[in-house]
């Protein structure tokens, strides 16, 4: 299996994936994907700075001067770079990218720059950088280069070629990866900027670039190359909203009273010459963004900016995030060295994540003034269209913290966490995608994720565990979750053309697992790779049987996926395949029960040895009907009440809730939310990776499932037919007295209000035009029509 892993990683590195074989390459001609991301016929040249190491760290500036007799109505350009760029027109930033992808799916951005042009002199300027060996794991790269192309012949005179000019910005150097105390920090080197070497105003029309170099043309081929295949960006530009940096909570090395007063009143920090000062700022809530610091004077000074989600005490424990006394900051940092000039500015190349910022300032002969500090918040531009409220105000806190977590974990791709990894993992993304669909109604990032996971697929079927990413790493159960994402998408969007092209790749995954069924036991045998299920399992999150085979959890997860795949095949009229995979699911379900069910405990064991018992195995037993339906309610109560079982983390609570609903105990959902309330009581403004006292990540979107379940479980709104052509509303209101929600549907908003009266619940339900469905209460179904209806049911 180790040999197989190395072969798969090698195939990935040379660009041979299942997506290469199935989509986008026919007889040497690149074809646009079915969902419409056009490939750019490249007429401009990829250019780069001459005499440079194309793989190494470097920050470069490109310029193109030109004149216009008049401003055109439209002037569209297509632009991209390797690794990243920021485009300016006449000194104004207009575009940032490229959206993350891989070499066979390298994104370009298109933008109409006419609003930024003027009659007379103009300049296009781009900052391009390559982080080299310190690049984020999520950043795929070939080599440093930049390309810009006009949309038509009319704009072609700005195409990148040797008429552009370029220099390397020698002010920049990488700050290496932080020390090991930041476990699994893989978001890239940070920035060190020496402003004595900075070419100020390089992006302005007035800048004199006569001493700049003529760029070098990168060796290239048209369309399909061994470097990059250009495809149109499929996600919108990220939100960029300025936010103030405020709230100094600790000052050392300088008198704090006048400093805090000046900062509070004027937003200015003044540090005298020959001073070493430390200033700690607590934003109160976590954020992602680009800190921007304008400074004056301070020649020969050094400013170190450390970013952290939380502070640590003397035992390296986080504790209550609101408690500051006796704690110190540990985190990654940027460094800049002022040049003594006036109103110069620092902004990092890539976004930072923080609640706490610490400024460590050492001045030399000159005093330093920080004239202004702000942050430009950035994230995927989700709009919160859903509404939820109830008689339990603590749920509104969970809703707000959960949505903040989901937002901070979504950028050009979904991300597991914004601070440590910024990787789009399949297991995390399935939950994130459902939150997106329910709360915002925006499905563009969902489609992008489905496509990108497919792009990672190996010829034998497996997808990578996270993508885009350099290298190759595999969690087989996550490939199954990719199929679940497809199934979810079919239920909430009527988009058969998008889903249909994944039917063959889906079957490749199903066959990968089928080939690994242990013929003696009927369970999945040895799978190899990293069979992560949940961090509740102490050895790398792997359950019993996850290493040597015959795991009931992994086997039933496969059964669950087989049934979803069969449903997809049935939607597309492929009844023979649907029947085959349903039969295979039934056969495996029976084998798992016969091998792993412990009648004395009335529980499903994690493996045939029956030495380990978890909530996880029994959740899957309910979700797959491995346990008879008549016994599922009793089993679910056992799962909830037996503390000796291996417990689920917040991540797997999503599946616990699915089992809770299926067993008819959805009204107990609200009683399972205490862990989320405890997290908020600890001062967290986002939900963490796990409930461990010293959890690594304070912001992990897989813990945000209440944002989905408040709508889908508590208020009970769900799709009843593929394409969300019909709605099923089956509330689980627990001890609430009142609840209401509004959910975006492709036809319009679904609105539901529940009010508890003396002996009845009153439900006021409004469906958009063209949508019908049913309301279910204690097993009794009532039809729903478009428009508003009032339903009363007994408590």
């Amino acid at each position: 299996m180790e040999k197989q892993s190395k072969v798969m990683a090698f195939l990935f590195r040379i660009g041979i994936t299942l997506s290469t074989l199935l989509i986008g390459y026919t007889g040497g001609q690149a074809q646009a994907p079915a969902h419409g991301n056009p490939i750019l016929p490249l007429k401009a040249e990829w250019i780069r700075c001459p005499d440079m190491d194309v793989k190494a760290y470097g920050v470069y500036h490109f310029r193109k001067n030109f004149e216009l007799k008049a401003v055109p109505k439209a002037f569209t350009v297509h632009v991209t770079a390797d690794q990243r760029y920021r485009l300016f027109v006449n000194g104004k930033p207009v575009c940032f990218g490229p959206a993350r992808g891989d070499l066979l799916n390298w994104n370009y951005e298109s933008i109409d720059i006419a609003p930024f042009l003027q009659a007379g002199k103009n300049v296009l300027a781009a900052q391009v950088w390559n982080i080299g060996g310190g690049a984020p794991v999520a950043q795929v790269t070939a080599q440093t280069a930049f390309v810009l192309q006009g949309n038509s012949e009319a704009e072609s005179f700005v195409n990148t070629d040797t008429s552009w000019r370029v220099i390397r910005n020698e002010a920049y150097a990488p700050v290496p990866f932080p020390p090991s105390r930041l476990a699994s920090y893989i978001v890239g080197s940070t920035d060190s900027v020496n402003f004595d070497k900075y070419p100020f105003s390089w992006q302005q029309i007035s800048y004199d670039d006569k001493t700049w170099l003529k760029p070098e043309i990168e060796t290239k081929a048209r369309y399909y190359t061994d470097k990059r295949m250009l495809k149109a960006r499929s996600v919108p530009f990220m939100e960029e909203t300025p936010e103030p940096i405020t709230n100094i909570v600790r000052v050392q090395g300088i008198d704090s009273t006048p400093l805090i007063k000046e900062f509070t009143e004027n937003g200015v920090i003044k540090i005298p010459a020959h001073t070493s000062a430390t200033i700690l700022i607590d934003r109160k809530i976590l954020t992602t963004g680009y800190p921007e610091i304008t400074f004056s004077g301070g020649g020969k000074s050094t400013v170190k900016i450390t970013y952290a989600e939380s502070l640590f005490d003397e035992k390296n424990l986080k504790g209550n995030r609101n408690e500051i006394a006796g704690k110190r900051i540990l985190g990654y940092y940027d460094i800049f060295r002022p040049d003594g000039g006036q109103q110069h500015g620092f902004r990092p190349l890539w976004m930072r994540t923080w609640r706490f910022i610490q400024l460590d300032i050492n001045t030399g002969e000159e005093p330093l003034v920080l004239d202004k500090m702000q942050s430009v918040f950035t994230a995927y531009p989700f709009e919160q269209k859903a509404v939820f409220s109830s008689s339990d105000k603590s749920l509104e806190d969970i809703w707000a913290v959960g949505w903040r977590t989901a937002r901070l974990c979504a950028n050009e791709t979904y991300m597991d966490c914004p601070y440590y990894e910024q990787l789009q993992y399949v297991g995390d993304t399935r939950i994130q995608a459902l939150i997106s669909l329910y709360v915002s109604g925006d499905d563009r990032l969902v489609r992008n994720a489905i496509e990108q996971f497919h792009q990672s697929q190996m010829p034998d079927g497996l997808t990578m565990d996270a993508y885009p990413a350099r290298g190759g790493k595999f969690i087989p159960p996550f490939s199954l979750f990719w199929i679940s994402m497809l199934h979810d998408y079919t239920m909430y969007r009527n988009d058969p053309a998008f889903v249909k092209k994944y039917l063959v790749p889906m079957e490749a995954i199903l066959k990968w697992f089928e080939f690994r069924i242990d013929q003696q036991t009927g369970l999945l045998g040895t799978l190899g790779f990293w069979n992560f299920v949940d961090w509740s399992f102490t050895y790398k999150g792997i359950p019993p049987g996850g290493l040597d085979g015959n795991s009931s959890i992994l086997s039933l997860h496969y059964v669950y996926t087989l049934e979803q795949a069969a449903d997809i095949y049935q939607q597309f009229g492929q009844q023979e395949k649907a029947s085959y995979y349903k039969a295979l699911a039934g056969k495996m379900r029976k084998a798992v029960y016969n091998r792993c069910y412990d009648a004395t405990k009335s529980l499903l064991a994690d493996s045939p040895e029956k030495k380990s018992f978890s909530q996880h195995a029994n959740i899957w037993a309910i979700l797959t009907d491995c346990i008879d339906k008549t016994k599922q309610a009793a089993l679910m109560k056992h799962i909830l009440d037996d503390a000796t079982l291996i417990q689920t983390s917040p991540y797997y609570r999503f599946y616990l809730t699915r089992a809770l609903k299926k067993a008819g105990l959805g009204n107990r959902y609200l009683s399972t939310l205490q862990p989320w309330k405890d997290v908020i009581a600890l001062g967290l403004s986002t939900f963490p990776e796990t409930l461990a006292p010293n959890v690594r990540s304070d912001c992990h979107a897989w813990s945000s499932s209440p944002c989905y379940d408040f709508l889908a479980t508590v208020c009970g709104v769900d799709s009843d037919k593929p394409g969300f052509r019909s709605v099923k509303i089956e509330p689980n209101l627990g001890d609430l007295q009142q609840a209401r929600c509004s959910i975006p549907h492709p036809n319009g908003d679904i609105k539901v209000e529940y009010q508890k009266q003396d002996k009845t619940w009153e439900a006021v339900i409004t469906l958009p035009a063209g949508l019908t469905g049913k309301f279910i209460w204690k097993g009794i179904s009532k039809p729903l029509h478009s428009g508003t209806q009032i339903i009363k049911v007994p408590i």
Side-chain angles (χ1 to χ4, degrees):
M1 192 60 67
E2 180 182 358
K3 181 178 180 181
Q4 180 191 36
S5 178
K6 290 180 178 179
V7 170
M8 292 171 73
F10 171 74
L11 291 172
F12 173 76
R13 284 195 299 272
I14 64 174
I16 300 177
T17 64
L18 190 60
S19 65
T20 312
L21 301 177
L22 297 176
I23 295 177
Y25 184 69
T26 55
Q29 292 283 330
Q31 303 294 320
H35 54 77
N37 285 35
I39 294 172
L40 183 65
L42 193 59
K43 298 177 182 178
E45 306 283 2
W46 280 96
I47 59 175
R48 65 193 187 200
C49 190
D51 301 321
M52 58 172 283
D53 183 342
V54 296
K55 302 287 187 180
Y57 178 94
V59 179
Y60 304 90
H61 298 313
F62 294 82
R63 284 174 57 95
K64 170 70 175 180
N65 295 290
F66 60 97
E67 293 193 19
L68 294 173
K69 293 181 179 180
V71 176
K73 292 183 179 180
F75 198 106
T76 298
V77 297
H78 311 294
V79 57
T80 189
D82 187 347
Q83 297 171 340
R84 297 195 66 86
Y85 73 90
R86 193 177 183 210
L87 181 67
F88 297 79
V89 179
N90 294 334
K92 296 179 180 179
V94 299
C95 188
F96 181 75
R100 281 177 172 168
D102 62 22
L103 297 183
L104 296 176
N105 303 275
W106 195 270
N107 288 301
Y108 67 87
E109 283 72 35
S110 300
I111 183 170
D112 181 2
I113 62 173
F116 308 99
L117 298 174
Q118 63 184 26
K121 293 182 178 180
N122 293 269
V123 64
L124 294 177
Q127 182 182 46
V128 175
W129 62 92
N130 185 331
I131 305 301
V137 170
Q139 180 64 62
V140 177
T141 181
Q143 59 190 31
T144 308
F146 171 66
V147 66
L148 181 145
Q149 178 170 298
N151 187 55
S152 69
E153 187 64 29
E155 300 100 342
S156 64
F157 64 89
V158 299
N159 288 2
T160 45
D161 57 20
T162 56
S163 69
W164 282 65
R165 290 295 178 263
V166 60
I167 59 164
R168 176 169 181 162
N169 190 334
E170 300 292 348
Y172 280 89
V175 176
F177 281 77
S180 59
R181 62 173 176 260
L182 292 181
S184 299
Y185 174 87
I186 54 174
V187 304
S189 301
T190 49
D191 302 329
S192 173
V193 185
N194 182 353
F195 282 98
D196 284 330
K197 301 178 180 180
Y198 197 90
F200 294 103
S201 302
W202 65 269
Q203 69 273 49
Q204 302 294 335
I205 296 176
S206 59
Y207 185 86
D208 185 356
D209 60 13
K210 291 178 182 176
T211 62
W212 285 27
L213 304 174
K214 183 171 71 173
E216 182 177 76
I217 303 299
E218 181 187 66
T219 302
K220 61 173 178 54
R222 301 294 181 184
Y223 294 106
Y224 189 82
T225 80
D226 63 342
K227 300 233 176 12
R228 313 167 197 91
M229 182 185 290
L230 300 185
K231 295 184 179 179
R233 177 186 183 118
S234 62
V235 298
F237 290 118
M238 299 302 101
E239 177 182 343
E240 291 194 5
T241 304
E243 299 176 329
I245 295 177
T246 59
N247 195 37
I248 294 176
V249 294
R250 189 164 65 202
V251 177
Q252 297 170 301
I254 188 173
D255 188 356
S256 64
T257 302
L259 185 146
I260 293 175
K261 184 176 185 295
E262 177 79 11
F263 182 68
T264 303
E265 293 177 355
N266 303 314
V268 175
I269 293 177
K270 297 179 179 178
I271 308 296
H274 304 295
T275 301
S276 293
T278 297
I279 301 168
L280 180 66
I281 295 172
D282 178 6
R283 193 179 178 276
K284 298 296 186 183
I285 60 174
L286 197 72
T287 191
T288 52
Y290 295 90
E292 295 181 337
I293 300 178
T294 304
F295 57 90
S296 296
K300 308 303 180 183
S301 299
T302 300
V303 180
K304 177 182 176 184
I305 314 165
T306 304
Y307 311 91
E309 295 180 310
S310 57
L311 302 178
F312 294 81
D313 64 18
E314 69 279 0
K315 296 180 180 179
N316 272 355
L317 299 177
K318 295 181 177 182
N320 190 301
R321 306 310 192 262
N322 295 328
E323 296 173 357
I324 295 171
K327 291 184 176 179
R328 70 191 190 285
I329 197 167
L330 298 173
Y332 59 74
Y333 54 86
D334 293 311
I335 298 173
F336 70 87
R337 296 172 177 84
D339 64 314
Q342 299 297 305
Q343 296 288 309
H344 291 162
F346 169 81
R347 170 186 165 121
L349 296 172
W350 183 240
M351 73 173 192
R352 306 296 184 230
T353 302
W354 78 94
R355 169 179 168 171
F356 295 94
I357 282 183
Q358 181 166 293
L359 304 174
D360 290 295
I361 303 172
N362 291 283
T363 55
E365 298 291 333
E366 299 179 8
L368 173 67
V369 178
L370 304 185
D371 302 290
K372 181 181 179 180
M373 292 202 303
Q374 71 170 17
S375 174
V376 179
F377 170 77
T378 188
Y380 184 91
F382 282 127
E383 296 180 37
Q384 181 185 324
K385 294 183 178 179
V387 174
F388 173 81
S389 65
S390 75
S391 53
D392 183 348
K393 299 308 176 185
S394 69
L395 302 187
E396 294 180 23
D397 293 337
I398 294 174
W399 170 269
V401 172
W403 180 237
R404 181 181 302 117
T405 306
R407 285 222 63 196
L408 299 187
C409 292
N411 200 274
E412 294 166 349
T413 67
Y414 289 108
M415 302 184 299
D416 62 326
C417 58
Y419 191 92
Y420 288 93
E421 296 186 47
Q422 297 179 6
L423 283 171
Q424 182 173 246
Y425 284 94
V426 189
D428 309 52
T429 301
R430 188 209 175 179
I431 298 170
Q432 292 171 272
L434 286 169
I435 294 170
S436 302
L437 292 173
Y438 263 71
V439 180
S440 75
D442 187 336
D443 55 24
R444 290 171 291 181
L445 201 60
V446 179
R447 290 198 305 272
N448 185 69
I450 290 171
E451 170 63 15
Q452 288 189 321
F453 291 138
H454 165 58
Q455 290 164 2
S456 79
Q457 199 168 8
M458 292 294 108
D460 70 347
L462 277 188
T463 63
M464 287 176 62
D465 61 348
Y467 205 72
R470 292 180 287 115
K473 187 159 65 72
F474 303 90
I475 298 177
F478 279 17
S479 291
L480 298 178
F481 281 136
W482 180 74
I483 295 175
S484 294
M485 286 186 67
L486 274 181
H487 186 264
D488 294 340
Y489 189 79
T490 67
M491 294 303 295
Y492 294 106
R493 289 295 181 270
N494 183 23
D495 193 1
F498 176 76
V499 176
K500 187 176 182 180
K501 67 176 185 172
Y502 299 114
L503 297 185
V504 173
M506 179 176 74
E507 187 164 29
I509 294 172
L510 299 177
K511 290 300 182 185
W512 189 93
F513 283 89
E514 185 178 356
F515 293 155
R516 287 158 178 79
I517 295 174
D518 186 323
Q519 298 304 311
Q520 291 185 337
T521 65
L523 280 64
L524 288 176
T526 303
L527 301 179
F529 306 107
W530 180 24
N531 288 292
F532 171 84
V533 168
D534 191 4
W535 288 122
S536 304
F537 297 99
T538 55
Y539 181 71
K540 298 183 179 180
I542 302 172
L547 292 174
D548 50 8
N550 293 299
S551 162
S552 66
I553 296 171
L554 297 179
S555 297
L556 288 182
H557 186 179
Y558 183 42
V559 170
Y560 173 82
T561 309
L562 287 168
E563 292 174 333
Q564 289 184 324
D567 186 47
I568 294 173
Y569 281 125
Q570 197 159 351
Q571 291 179 38
F572 283 88
Q574 298 187 22
Q575 188 57 50
E576 185 176 347
K577 285 186 178 179
S579 298
Y580 176 82
Y581 287 116
K582 282 183 179 179
L584 179 59
K587 184 178 179 181
M588 286 199 69
R589 182 188 300 116
K590 183 177 180 180
V592 171
Y593 182 87
N594 289 338
R595 295 278 180 175
C596 300
Y597 187 72
D598 188 322
T600 62
K601 294 179 180 290
S602 298
L603 288 169
L604 195 76
D606 295 336
S607 67
E609 291 79 13
K610 300 180 182 179
K611 294 179 179 179
S612 173
F613 295 84
S614 66
Q615 288 185 327
H616 308 70
N618 291 281
I619 286 168
W620 287 119
I622 292 172
L623 291 177
T624 61
D625 290 327
C626 182
I627 300 296
D628 188 87
K629 292 181 180 181
T630 61
K631 299 179 180 179
Q632 289 178 10
L635 176 59
M636 193 68 233
K637 291 177 182 177
H638 194 161
I639 293 171
L640 293 173
D641 299 336
D642 188 348
T644 67
L645 297 178
I646 296 172
Q647 302 290 295
T648 53
S649 76
Y651 163 48
Y652 237 74
R653 289 289 184 101
F654 174 81
Y655 296 98
L656 183 145
T657 303
R658 311 279 71 73
L660 196 69
K661 289 178 66 176
K662 188 174 184 302
L665 296 178
N667 275 320
R668 290 191 61 172
Y669 169 70
L670 291 173
S671 68
T672 69
L673 294 175
Q674 191 58 45
W676 282 270
K677 296 177 183 180
D678 292 343
V679 163
I680 294 174
L682 276 174
L684 278 83
S685 60
T686 51
F687 290 130
E689 184 174 10
T690 72
L691 299 176
N694 209 38
V695 60
R696 176 190 65 150
S697 168
D698 274 7
C699 183
H700 233 77
W702 69 13
S703 298
S704 295
S705 59
C707 283
Y708 168 76
D709 278 309
F710 286 179
L711 305 171
T713 298
V714 177
C715 291
V717 181
D718 205 350
S719 173
D720 196 40
K721 291 181 180 178
F724 218 159
R725 296 193 305 272
S726 178
V727 64
K728 178 178 71 173
I729 300 179
E730 187 174 6
N732 296 280
L733 299 164
D735 294 330
L736 296 177
Q737 301 298 308
Q738 174 272 334
R740 74 179 183 92
C741 76
S742 176
I743 300 169
H745 180 277
N747 291 14
D749 289 343
I750 299 171
K751 298 180 180 180
V752 180
E753 293 187 34
Y754 301 105
Q755 183 66 52
K756 195 173 188 180
Q757 300 175 346
D758 289 340
K759 296 182 179 180
T760 62
W761 274 101
E762 180 181 86
V764 181
I765 301 171
T766 303
L767 303 186
L771 182 64
T772 60
K774 60 187 177 183
F775 178 84
I776 299 175
W777 183 261
K778 297 182 178 180
I780 298 174
S781 178
K782 297 178 181 290
L784 297 174
H785 57 78
S786 299
T788 300
Q789 50 245 284
I790 298 175
I791 298 174
K792 293 188 176 183
V793 292
I795 293 175

